[in-house]
Amino acid sequence: MTNSEATRHVLIVGGGTSGWITAAYLGKHLSCKEPGAVQVTLIESDDIGTIGVGEGTFPTMRVTLETLGISETEFIRETNATFKQAAKFAHWLYNPADNHPRNYYYHPFDVPLGGPHMDIAKYWLQEKDKYGPYFDEAVSIQGTTCENNLAPKKITHKEFAGLNYAYHLDAAAFARLLRKKSVEEFGVKHLIGTVTDVKKAPDGSIASVISEEHGELHADLFVDCTGFSARLIGQEYNTAFKSIDDVLLVDHAITVQVPYAEPDAPIPTHTISTAQEAGWTWDIGLQHRRGVGYVYSARHTSHERAADVLQTYLGDSVDLSSARRVPMKTGYRTEQWHKNCVAIGLSAGFCEPLEATAIAMIELAARFLVSEFPYSKAYYPIAAKAFNTSFVYRWDAIVDFVKMHYYLSRRNDHQFWLDNTSPETATDSLLERLEKWRYSTPNRNDFPNVNEMFGVESNQFVLYGMDYQSHIQPSALITEQHYADKLHKQLCMQKEKISQMLPSHNTLITQVLKHGFAKL
């Protein structure tokens, strides 16, 4: 392979979470500090901030931190991070005026009773009188830990061990931590500048970009992390964009940072997602503040009314003068890797933040890029095809999963909910799955792809959290009924002891900040 055929230089255009996660993965994987290694450069403007719509993560973040050699103690201290064990969905099933006794459910990160090799859902469906009427309570411990504000681990646990968990974080602070790691330890070159023009080679690939501050910057592979502007994949290549606003109807968010009323106020160990008249509010607790926002459909309400809804949720004592309104262009590019340009982050696509998929998709894209890194330019079209196939599949699955939260609602108090529960706004693939699940529980056969973002467990938690009725024949329950009963009794005993087993979330955060996790 000659020098002209080899990938010698990667240029990442854009910083933020997407740019710096990608830079860190590439910098470490390519051993950029070593003589003769592939060079990685990131150029970012100093006047473009992180949007910060979603500050929730998946448990995949623990893998990212371990891979990049970032200790959990350092991460929590540097990014204002807290632990996330679940998402709590309030008022999604019924209008709050209905006064339903339990108008919420949890989508936790742990696996239901019996693990991946036992379908506990079918036993619960037939034995609700025995196991309890609420699926999350009957098959998982994490609803209990969240309701009681318990941490997922003790300070004596190893880093990244404990109950399955993710984090809430300050995205801007996380980008700064990754930047420091990438530049100082992995050898990534960092430039401050604005890309003003793009030059292409005769074959249509990008040859270089022009920056006012640094002139012409040549590279072999370009990564577009420029957010919604999609400076390379969109403005230069105009690859097809598949809008999903006819399925997921929200298109704006109004966001605000809220200080805690008291310094020792309990910090929830879960995201709180509360359905509202024309959308939903998120409420995320960091160490020193809450991140709160109202995601809504401007087709169903006014911006002024949206601000009023957020004010009502927060109370009159909270000042909304610093709140930001963010338009959201929901959809994804069906070709996210075109020639020698790869889009990662918002430039590739955006799904509303209901299930906090944005950062997880960045992690997955960065990992894919390093695992299929095209050292030879001849490999670009092969890697591009695999990348595009994988991520189009993921985007379609995410859309169906998020839509399911809306579609199964029984609310009829606003046109927003009437439209969301109309089959006309649901995808054929979601309707087909829901029809299948009338007669079976979600199972492994429904999720055969290794690229699933939300598998069996997640779909069961949402499906049955929204009180979906799957009709299971009693004859299907014979084989493991005794074992299911045994597991449920063990779970009940564990719940009784859990308050002695785990500290409060606030206590653990305080201990991490003061002492840190032990170096084991």
Side-chain angles (χ1 to χ4, degrees), residues 111 115-118 442-449 455-457:
V111 176
H117 304 297
M118 180 182 182
N443 59 67
R444 303 293 157 191
N445 295 325
D446 301 320
F447 306 96
N449 198 298
V456 175
E457 296 82 10

Side-chain angles (χ1 to χ4, degrees), residues 182-207:
S182 300
V183 173
E184 295 181 2
E185 296 187 30
F186 300 151
V188 173
K189 186 178 180 181
H190 179 213
L191 301 175
I192 298 294
T194 302
V195 170
T196 58
D197 200 5
V198 175
K199 287 189 176 181
K200 292 181 182 175
D203 66 354
S205 63
I206 298 174

